[in-house]
Amino acid sequence: MVCLRQRLLLQLGCSGGIHKAYCHSNAVRVRFAPSPTGLLHLGGLRTALYNYFFAKSQKGSFILRIEDTDQTRIVPEAVRKLEKDLKWVGIVPDESDSVGGEYGPYLQSKRLDLYEKEVQTLLNNGSAYKCFCSDSRLNLIRKDAIKSGLVPKYDNKCRSLTNEQVEEKLKSNSKYCIRFKLSNHSESWQDLVYGNITYNVFNNEGDPVIIKSDGFPTYHFANVVDDHHMKISHVLRGVEWQISTTKHILIYRAFGWTPPKFAHLPLLLNLNGTKLSKRQGDMSVEAIRKSEIFPNALVNFVTNFGGGFHDHQRTATLHLYSMKDLIEKFDLSMLNENSCKVNPSHMKEFNRAELKRVMSSGTEEEVKGFDRDVEEAYNEEVSKPNAPNRQHLPQVCPRLVY
Ligand SMILES: [Zn+2]
């Protein structure tokens, strides 16, 4: 039986095997675009890995873009730590602020001129407008809506300001933001994981702010402008962004640009059903790295939920794969839609399985890297006379690892 997603890929003008479904493989460009607001956590790592697997399986490029336009939430050192975490699991971006690339800069705070230029296009073609509403007015609207049991939304008041009224307010130096004019219609688009999505944003939200009064763009605007200018072909991101995607598509249309293809990834949940968050320090990649978990054990652990691979027998036998194997086996059309609960205590089993994998079928490079890891982690033990050597590791591993 051809599943909905495979049908959809065929409809996109592709034929042949699933791996060949993305015909223009050279043109695949994906981005991982975190905000530097804290440590990389498991959900973020999984998004990065799926982007990486997809890019590499299609001989495409993986771009690391830092979305640092919310200056109030920036955590110092977050970018450096993020790059360290990615490198540790084996992700080396093809383009980033440190690596460089022809579509930079890759820090949004260095792209403000571009946003300023592009918002002018939308102001000129009537898709955007200046909003002079004060915070107190917006708060009042919010409170009134809540009192009446309605979802609070901006009432689009400044859409109807005349040019003269706008000029007057500008002359008196009134503070303003720029909003995008939502069109009132149901927009349909194809999610490569969830299938057809139809949504009327106008019915549910007021016109969104695209440039804040401090001159910085919002996420919705900057990610559209950057994805277009960085020639991003596929956007793979958490399903929490799915609700905003229709809005993003309307912005692409207002520019006359072709949107990329979207694939939303199901949520990772704690065992109690709550969303994994950056605030859970113990679930950060940094904390896991320091807790003697091997990088490839973590890679397998975090991508063990939610599908996405051919011949995936890991759940039955806990058979781990190398990064190279995971890239070969990755298939976007095999991702499933269900959110997955994560049990961190299973990570230890993955660690043992990783040890087994490297010792039985690891490449020379992997075995050497593994020796280095063990030496670093168990410095004292390894330097003792009669210390376990590589040949003994499978036997002594439970003692060494736990
Ligand atoms: Zn307004």
Side-chain angles (χ1 to χ4, degrees), residues 150-312:
L150 300 169
V151 179
K153 59 178 192 179
Y154 176 59
D155 59 1
N156 301 346
K157 177 175 178 263
C158 296
R159 264 192 190 206
S160 51
L161 290 177
T162 62
N163 287 344
E164 290 72 30
Q165 285 169 315
V166 171
E167 285 308 315
E168 215 168 278
K169 284 182 186 291
L170 289 176
K171 260 183 219 157
S172 63
N173 281 331
S174 299
K175 216 169 82 168
Y176 68 88
C177 65
I178 299 176
R179 290 184 186 267
F180 178 71
K181 217 183 264 182
L182 294 170
S183 50
N184 181 6
H185 75 283
S186 290
E187 179 78 25
S188 288
W189 54 276
Q190 298 291 342
D191 190 313
L192 294 177
V193 174
Y194 289 82
N196 186 62
I197 309 279
T198 302
Y199 187 59
N200 186 330
V201 197
F202 181 87
N203 282 347
N204 295 287
E205 295 178 30
D207 290 338
V209 174
I210 50 176
I211 299 284
K212 293 174 282 186
S213 55
D214 63 4
F216 279 81
T218 58
Y219 170 79
H220 303 300
F221 186 65
N223 100 91
V224 166
V225 170
D226 287 343
D227 284 347
H228 172 75
H229 282 277
M230 293 183 178
K231 296 195 165 39
I232 299 302
S233 62
H234 295 75
V235 171
L236 277 63
R237 61 185 172 191
V239 72
E240 65 270 31
W241 293 110
Q242 194 184 53
I243 192 80
S244 305
T245 303
T246 308
K247 186 160 42 191
H248 299 165
I249 290 173
L250 296 179
I251 300 176
Y252 280 101
R253 296 268 155 74
F255 276 116
W257 296 340
T258 307
K261 293 181 178 68
F262 292 94
H264 289 90
L265 308 169
L267 283 181
L268 284 187
L269 304 174
N270 293 306
L271 285 180
N272 65 7
T274 55
K275 201 186 152 212
L276 285 182
S277 98
K278 278 190 188 184
R279 283 177 285 280
Q280 289 169 287
D282 54 339
M283 294 295 263
S284 72
V285 175
E286 184 180 76
I288 293 167
R289 185 174 71 225
K290 289 177 179 166
S291 72
E292 299 164 1
I293 296 290
F294 298 119
N296 198 53
L298 176 61
V299 167
N300 276 265
F301 173 76
V302 83
T303 56
N304 191 43
F305 320 97
F309 301 91
H310 282 289
D311 306 316
H312 211 258

